Each structure stands twice: as C-alpha cells, then as structure tokens.
Amino acid sequence: MTDLFAPLQSLKQGDWFKLICGASFQHLPAVRSLTLAYTLAGADCIDVAADPAVIAAAQSGLQAAKSLARDAQKRGFDYKGNLPFLMVSLNDGEDPHFRKAEFNPHECPTDCPRPCERICPAQAIVFDSIKEDFSGVVSEKCYGCGRCIPICPYRIIYTASYVTTPGAIAPLLMSTGVDAVEIHTKVGRLAEFERLWQAISPWADQLKLLAISCPDGEGMIDYLRALYDLIAPLKGALIWQTDGRPMSGDIGDGTTIAAVKLGQKVLAAKLPGYVQLSGGTNSYTVAKLKAMGLLNSAEFRVMSAEKDYTTQHGPNPSYPLTARAKPWLSANSTQHSHIAGVAYGSYARLLLSPILEQLENKEVSNTNVKAIVRLEEDEVLLWQAVELAHSLVSQIKSQQER
C-alpha cells in the first residue's frame, strides 16, 4: 500500500479528519452538500451509508469539490484538489447507528406539544408539512440518534434496526469505487464479525483502509486483538475507531471525555494500526487532546520521518536519533503512540444545518420547475458552508502548521 494518498499521510502525521454523514442518513441533497463543503475544507475521509444512491451523491459532491479547488485556494483555503477517501459503514449486528425512528402520527393527540419535532437534530419529524406532504418521520433524514424516544409523552416512538446482509451488499459496495470500509461491531460478536469479514475479504485488497468501530465493554482489548488476528495481514491501513459515546451529538465540553478516555485505553494496548476518536466528539475534542498530550508531537514527527527513511534506504547515521536506537521504530512497526485523528458526526452536520436548511428552502420556493438547487450554485451559501466546515477541520489540521 503506497503512502502517496494524501489521507494516509494525514493518518501518519496525526491530523486525520473524518466526516460521518451517518450510517443511516439517506437524505441525498444533504449528503452531497456535506461532502462538498467538508472536502473543500480539507477533510480526509467521508463516511456514508452503504446505499448505492448515497454513495453516488457523495461521489458527485467529491467531483464538484475537485472542480472548485482553485476557487478554494483563492479564498485562502488549503484544499489542493486531493479527494478524501470515500468510506461506507457496515454492521455485524444490532447497532444504534443502523436504525430509524418510526411512529404512527395518527396516534398523536392533537393537543400534544410535540417535543419530538423540536428536539430532532435532523429535522426528520414533521407534522402536517406542506413541504413533505405528510406527517411522521422523514425516513431518509433520520439517522437514528434516538433523542425523540424518551421525550415522547405517550411513548409511541420506536426504532426499526437493520443488519448488513454480507452476501448481498459486499460485492455491490466493492464495485461502486469506495476507498474504505468501516465495520461497526461490539464485544462478544466475533462469529458475526467473521461472517461479515468473509464476505468482504475477497475484495479487501481493493481497499485503501479498513476501520473497525467498537464501543467500550468488558474484555474490549482482548476482543480487538482477536479481530486483528482474524483480519491480518491487511494490504491497506487499519483504524481502530473508539466509539466513546455513540450517537451523542452533544456540544458540551464534558461529552467528549468518554471518547478521549477510550482512545487512551486502546492506545495503551499497543494494537497494530491507528487510533481515531468518535462518539461524543465536538468543538472541545481537539483542545482536550492537545492539553493531554495525545496529539502528534514535533518530536514524534521527526522520529516518524527517520522511520520512513530507514524503511526505504536503511539506517542513516547522520540522524541524531535513528530508528536503529529505537526498536519500536523498526520498519515493520505499525503501532502509534498518539491519536491519529478525529471523526465528527452529529456535531459536524449540526454545524452546517442552517446552510443546508436555507438551501432546501430555496428548492421549495422554486416549485414551478421543481429544480434542486445544488450548493455550488449558490456562491454565498457555498463559501459560508466551507468556512463553517473549515472552522472544525482546521482545529486538528493546525497541529501540522506549527
């Protein structure tokens, strides 16, 4: 596997940024717009639902971003036209990321204050909507956060979950040009993971990256070691995604602590591969990582460069610290002592939601021709969206500008 791909360089440097559109999120215009804005802002990976239509929408956003590279540079953004990896998420069993909220709106009393409608971050719950022409959950907008369930006064909201069908979906995904796959698993599901991996493995060599997402649990490290034994050797890179607080979407500074603590736990296990945070990540995450010394330091970047030189040319005696003197920097080592990156889901989407809402309203107002307004067709909204996205991406990217 070559390291010529810019996203892989970001992993090595420790400034990897991943946008999670949502494993269940299927609102195509939003997926395309999010992909476009975060690509121009410098994202390294776009994670989307394993749905051919969603994949196509993301790919359309990627190509639109590539055509706008020069405009982005003129406006002071660092995007150079490199495309981020396109990742799809799969699951080996029940998982909160792979579900949709449902309810029968006819069961709602007319005097209900409808707190579910107000709390939904995706604006997926509507009542008597002229725009949506129905009441209930707009399925393609729902990504299964579950906030509406406990707040319903009448307890009539439930979720419908689904599990990836390995034999049917794996060949399809591998033929759509995705770069990476993420498998959501849970401690104790080794047999289920193995079934899914057996379906993917014939195409695994085509992948530039495999990510494994797992929440904490008793015996987690032993479980991750068993997974590694199952999938090794890999041709591409490997990420352990530490799902600290799954589907939280919270914006407070305390909510990211679970993600950071779980990242520390996996780092301490010295598993081969990179460690990337998720679950509870928000605007406070990078600051906490910096304060705790968990991001890539200047010293480590020097030693990483020595390792790369040694791999290609042999030991260089001119280095003040050589890979020969550091056994853990041997050419075959794939363990890392820092957090390689951060993935943002609900928070990243929420950040751009005012822009996406304005864009959607423009579509509705143009009812005569039913035209869909693409983000790049409104220059003001486009660069506002990129600026907002960049405000999040730059938090970790600034690590490499010092």
Side-chain angles (χ1 to χ4, degrees), residues 238-255:
L238 173 64
I239 286 179
W240 302 106
Q241 176 168 288
T242 58
D243 202 356
R245 189 178 291 181
M247 306 293 289
S248 72
D250 294 330
I251 62 175
D253 61 346
T255 191

Side-chain angles (χ1 to χ4, degrees), residues 21-27 30-31 34 49 54 100 140-143:
C21 285
S24 297
F25 191 55
Q26 295 165 299
H27 190 228
V31 168
L34 287 165
V54 174
K100 301 278 191 183
E140 63 268 23
K141 289 186 177 182
C142 176
Y143 54 81

